[in-house]
Amino acid sequence: MKYAFSLLLSLFIISNQSLAQNPLDFGSDIRTADPSAHVWPDGRLYLYTSHDEECQLDFWMRDWHVFSSEDLVNWTDHGAVLSVEELSWADNFAWAPDAAYKNGKYYFVFPAGTGFKDRKNPENSTKWMGIGVAVSDSPTGPFKDAIGGPLWREPYANDPALFIDDDGKPYLYFHGKDFDYYVAELEDDLLSVKGDFIKMDMGGYEPKMEGPWVFKREGRYYFTMPENNRVLTYYMSDSPTGPWDYKGVFMEQEHQSNNHHSVVEYKGEWLLFYHRWLETPESDCKARKRQRHSAAEFIEFNADGTIKPVQRTAEGVADFANRIKRN
Ligand code: FUB
């Protein structure tokens, strides 16, 4: 009887462990945020993330990492793809990156900068940020800075997101103070801007935002963002440059903290990658109780293409392998 009880208990613990996939277990003990997901020609899903140093207080961040998986449960940690130490023009603010595959090359776009943000006396701030582009023959790098400077540094530019449309045209969306809801079409080699920035028509609603992410599903475009850098909301359009029609919230905020996400289809399932601020008891960090961890959820759509609200769960996408078998 005692044996049977222990066996049942062990089975219960094992089955719950296999269900608990959030935060994602990359098999390494680093803090990741701003996960940007892509499926590349080798059939794997790659997640490019920014990297929080332990206990960092003001988003002083130095490098970007990449992880890959075929089942979203077992991940390979490919290490850092790029560090600000490899840049001649920036030494800090290795914030939310993105990536693209075009003409046989992998492109890594990233925000970085220098200086110091004086939160008490903003007039003393020297911080600036721009967007760089690095290129590699492999999805896991090494990526090399391809320009030797930012694409631009005025306007202030952060949180770049690349979208390559079915006709091959590359677009770069970004978060820029006083320049949100602008998009730049890029030249075919993704190393310079084609023409002017395009101010998009957002249908009259332009809240403060960060981290735009654009995807296409069934011929319709989705412009998604952490609105007020907290709650995930979206617009829809028939064109990658708008006009956009605001549709509202698909993930609420948590702990009054920022969020940053990406949306991708993999093996017939639509997935939302995002980060959570979770208590991290294994960390010695006294200064900050919660640290950022990458997580994932299934994301579903209504018949009219609108996004169903997504809840944060402990199991995340643990059921991915079973779901794709059922597809
Ligand atoms: O990770 C640094 C910054 O925090 C990102 O660029 C923002 O989107 C927010 O997640």
Side-chain angles (χ1 to χ4, degrees), residues 106-246:
Y106 294 88
Y107 292 85
F108 182 73
V109 291
F110 57 91
T114 63
F116 174 74
K117 181 168 184 172
D118 189 330
R119 290 188 186 269
K120 279 198 186 135
N121 303 296
E123 67 282 4
N124 295 336
S125 290
T126 55
K127 177 183 169 195
W128 66 269
M129 289 182 72
I131 290 167
V133 185
V135 183
S136 175
D137 292 329
S138 154
T140 56
F143 284 89
K144 295 275 172 239
D145 182 6
I147 305 176
L151 267 175
W152 69 85
R153 56 176 282 183
E154 294 291 339
Y156 173 94
N158 176 30
D159 287 359
L162 281 170
F163 172 72
I164 300 190
D165 207 349
D166 299 336
D167 61 6
K169 280 189 186 169
Y171 298 93
L172 179 63
Y173 304 81
F174 62 103
H175 159 57
K177 211 161 64 200
D178 303 325
F179 270 82
D180 285 344
Y181 308 110
Y182 278 72
V183 57
E185 189 182 332
L186 298 182
E187 291 290 352
D188 201 49
D189 61 1
L190 275 65
L191 299 183
S192 56
V193 175
K194 188 174 190 174
D196 288 331
F197 292 106
I198 304 161
K199 172 75 176 81
M200 297 187 295
D201 176 351
M202 306 308 288
Y205 184 63
E206 298 186 9
K208 183 177 171 302
M209 58 164 268
E210 283 190 347
W213 179 268
V214 172
F215 66 94
K216 190 174 185 181
R217 179 181 175 272
E218 295 182 355
R220 277 177 288 198
Y221 300 83
Y222 294 73
F223 181 93
T224 66
M225 63 182 177
E227 184 170 329
N228 290 311
N229 83 12
R230 300 266 188 283
V231 51
L232 301 185
T233 63
Y234 72 111
Y235 301 76
M236 290 172 71
S237 177
D238 294 330
S239 147
T241 54
W244 296 97
D245 185 14
Y246 185 71

Side-chain angles (χ1 to χ4, degrees), residues 13 31 67 70 108 111 129 151 178 205 279 308 312:
I13 291 169
R31 314 288 162 231
F67 308 89
E70 283 185 333
F108 182 73
M129 289 182 72
L151 267 175
D178 303 325
Y205 184 63
E279 290 190 21
K308 293 187 179 176
R312 291 173 179 81

Side-chain angles (χ1 to χ4, degrees), residues 186-319:
L186 298 182
E187 291 290 352
D188 201 49
D189 61 1
L190 275 65
L191 299 183
S192 56
V193 175
K194 188 174 190 174
D196 288 331
F197 292 106
I198 304 161
K199 172 75 176 81
M200 297 187 295
D201 176 351
M202 306 308 288
Y205 184 63
E206 298 186 9
K208 183 177 171 302
M209 58 164 268
E210 283 190 347
W213 179 268
V214 172
F215 66 94
K216 190 174 185 181
R217 179 181 175 272
E218 295 182 355
R220 277 177 288 198
Y221 300 83
Y222 294 73
F223 181 93
T224 66
M225 63 182 177
E227 184 170 329
N228 290 311
N229 83 12
R230 300 266 188 283
V231 51
L232 301 185
T233 63
Y234 72 111
Y235 301 76
M236 290 172 71
S237 177
D238 294 330
S239 147
T241 54
W244 296 97
D245 185 14
Y246 185 71
K247 299 292 181 187
V249 177
F250 64 96
M251 178 177 260
E252 296 290 352
Q253 65 172 308
E254 184 178 50
H255 308 311
Q256 296 288 326
S257 300
N258 72 31
N259 198 355
H260 190 114
H261 69 294
S262 57
V263 176
V264 71
E265 185 184 18
Y266 187 43
K267 300 184 178 177
E269 289 293 327
W270 281 89
L271 306 158
L272 169 70
F273 291 86
Y274 66 108
H275 66 234
R276 300 183 73 173
W277 293 75
L278 299 173
E279 290 190 21
T280 312
E282 70 274 22
S283 163
D284 275 346
C285 186
K286 303 274 183 299
R288 178 170 257 167
K289 196 167 93 180
R290 293 197 173 93
Q291 299 197 56
R292 299 194 290 183
H293 300 257
S294 295
E297 311 290 351
F298 295 108
I299 183 167
E300 281 166 6
F301 297 82
N302 296 304
D304 64 358
T306 52
I307 303 177
K308 293 187 179 176
V310 185
Q311 308 300 327
R312 291 173 179 81
T313 66
E315 56 273 20
V317 293
D319 196 35

